[in-house]
């Protein structure tokens, strides 16, 4: 076959490939436009005025708690009052690249898809913390293709409207962590008897282990399963450079104490 003919074949192949890419990109853009029409009115910045139910405590003069009034057990805590190792534990467990993406973790999505394909079942999700905030604050809990597309679109908008610290503060105050406790402050008081400001690395990893299955796996219901998950979180903290190996050795060797 002549060189000229080969060049012609390669040219046609390249043209067909480029056409396919253009059509594919156009199709994806069309899907995002179609499912994004119903969320154009959503004001993502409005969730900055988050006013969730909190616990009202009745205390005596000496500070003794006499009673509590609540619809949801939650005590808000400002981001600047949360210890760094607590934030790092949740990042390691849920979204280690949180500070490096714009709402969507494309590499994480591919990695999760490959893991699930290899396992033959759904083992890993690919939702960033930003996407989880969008899902919990702005969308329904329906597991549909349309809702997932809307979640991705709103995550980008949320990242543009709020700072990373603001998004994390919303997430850490809203999440359910078992036994009727919402947010890390109330969960810390319940599981450890002290404010999240006072907990150590091992306890922070326990809290970060809970969002995976808060209704089922807690230090009280399934301590062995939570211990395994805690060790995983601590190892992820080391893997992502949040801690050194020697800093987590004691926590890994320790017991899960409700």
């Amino acid at each position: 076959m002549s060189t000229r003919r080969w060049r012609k074949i390669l040219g046609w192949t390249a043209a067909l490939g480029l056409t396919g890419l253009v059509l594919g990109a156009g199709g994806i853009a069309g899907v995002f436009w179609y499912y994004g029409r119903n969320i154009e009115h959503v004001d993502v910045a409005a969730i900055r005025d988050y006013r969730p139910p909190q616990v009202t405590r009745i205390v005596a003069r000496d500070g003794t708690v006499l009673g509590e009034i609540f619809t949801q057990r939650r005590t808000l805590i400002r981001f600047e009052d949360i210890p760094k190792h607590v934030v790092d534990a949740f990042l390691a467990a849920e979204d280690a690249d949180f500070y490096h993406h714009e709402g969507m973790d494309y590499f994480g999505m591919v990695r999760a898809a490959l893991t699930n394909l290899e396992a033959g079942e759904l083992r890993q999700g690919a939702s960033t913390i930003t996407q989880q905030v969008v899902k919990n604050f702005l969308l329904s809990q329906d597991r549909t293709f349309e809702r997932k597309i809307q979640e991705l679109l709103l995550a980008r908008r949320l990242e543009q409207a709020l700072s990373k610290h603001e998004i994390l503060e919303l997430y850490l105050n809203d999440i359910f962590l078992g036994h009727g406790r919402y947010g890390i402050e109330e969960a810390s008081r319940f599981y450890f008897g002290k404010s999240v400001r006072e907990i150590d690395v091992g306890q922070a990893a326990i809290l970060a282990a809970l969002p995976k299955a808060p209704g089922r796996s807690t230090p009280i219901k399934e301590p062995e399963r939570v211990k395994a998950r805690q060790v995983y979180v601590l190892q992820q903290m080391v893997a992502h450079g949040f801690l050194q190996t020697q800093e987590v050795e004691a926590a890994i060797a320790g017991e899960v104490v409700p």
Side-chain angles (χ1 to χ4, degrees):
M1 188 179 294
S2 67
T3 302
R4 184 177 180 182
R5 187 172 179 80
W6 270 113
R7 286 178 179 174
K8 192 172 183 179
I9 292 173
L10 290 174
W12 276 106
T13 302
L16 287 172
L18 181 60
T19 301
L21 287 174
V22 171
L23 291 175
I28 293 173
V31 168
F32 274 77
W33 171 82
Y34 181 79
Y35 288 117
R37 296 175 303 160
N38 296 329
I39 58 172
E40 293 177 354
H41 66 284
V42 176
D43 180 11
V44 295
I47 66 175
R48 185 181 281 116
D49 297 324
Y50 177 55
R51 297 289 185 275
Q54 293 191 67
V55 174
T56 298
R57 292 183 172 85
I58 303 169
V59 298
R61 288 186 177 181
D62 62 359
T64 303
V65 177
L66 302 177
E68 296 179 336
I69 303 171
F70 59 89
T71 56
Q72 285 187 353
R73 284 186 175 273
R74 178 188 285 105
T75 300
L76 292 181
I77 184 168
R78 296 175 62 84
F79 181 81
E80 52 264 34
D81 295 327
I82 304 172
K84 184 178 183 299
H85 63 270
V86 175
V87 174
D88 289 344
F90 277 89
L91 293 180
E94 297 291 321
D95 187 1
D97 293 323
F98 176 73
Y99 279 101
H100 305 292
H101 63 63
E102 297 179 345
M104 291 181 282
D105 181 4
Y106 299 102
F107 291 109
M109 293 166 70
V110 173
R111 183 171 59 248
L114 291 175
T115 299
N116 295 334
L117 184 63
E118 182 180 357
E121 61 181 357
L122 186 62
R123 285 191 176 182
Q124 270 191 26
S127 292
T128 63
I129 284 177
T130 308
Q131 288 174 248
Q132 292 180 57
V133 170
V134 166
K135 179 177 65 176
N136 292 336
F137 285 81
L138 301 173
L139 295 173
S140 71
Q141 298 298 311
D142 297 337
R143 297 173 66 88
T144 64
F145 181 72
E146 178 179 3
R147 192 203 57 75
K148 191 64 178 180
I149 294 296
Q150 292 174 344
E151 178 186 301
L152 293 172
L153 291 170
L154 288 172
R156 290 294 300 273
R157 285 167 53 183
L158 186 63
E159 289 269 351
Q160 295 168 358
L162 273 64
S163 70
K164 290 286 190 179
H165 288 357
E166 288 176 317
I167 294 171
L168 272 176
E169 183 176 301
L170 289 168
Y171 172 74
L172 294 173
N173 277 297
D174 185 71
I175 50 175
F176 176 59
L177 295 172
H179 298 282
R181 268 61 184 185
Y182 292 82
I184 57 173
E185 176 66 11
E186 196 62 32
S188 180
R189 294 186 183 194
F190 176 71
Y191 293 116
F192 311 124
K194 54 188 173 184
S195 169
V196 75
R197 300 174 179 86
E198 304 170 68
I199 65 175
D200 59 29
V201 169
Q203 292 166 331
I206 289 174
L207 291 185
L210 301 181
K212 190 173 181 63
R216 183 180 72 250
S217 297
T218 71
I220 295 173
K221 291 182 179 180
E222 295 186 337
E224 292 183 359
R225 187 184 294 268
V226 171
K227 179 61 185 180
R229 177 70 177 165
Q230 178 210 31
V231 170
Y232 167 79
V233 173
L234 290 167
Q235 291 172 338
Q236 288 297 107
M237 292 179 76
V238 172
H240 290 289
F242 295 125
L243 293 172
Q244 298 298 314
T245 302
Q246 59 270 24
E247 295 179 278
V248 303
E249 290 175 348
I252 289 176
E255 298 292 327
V256 174
V257 181

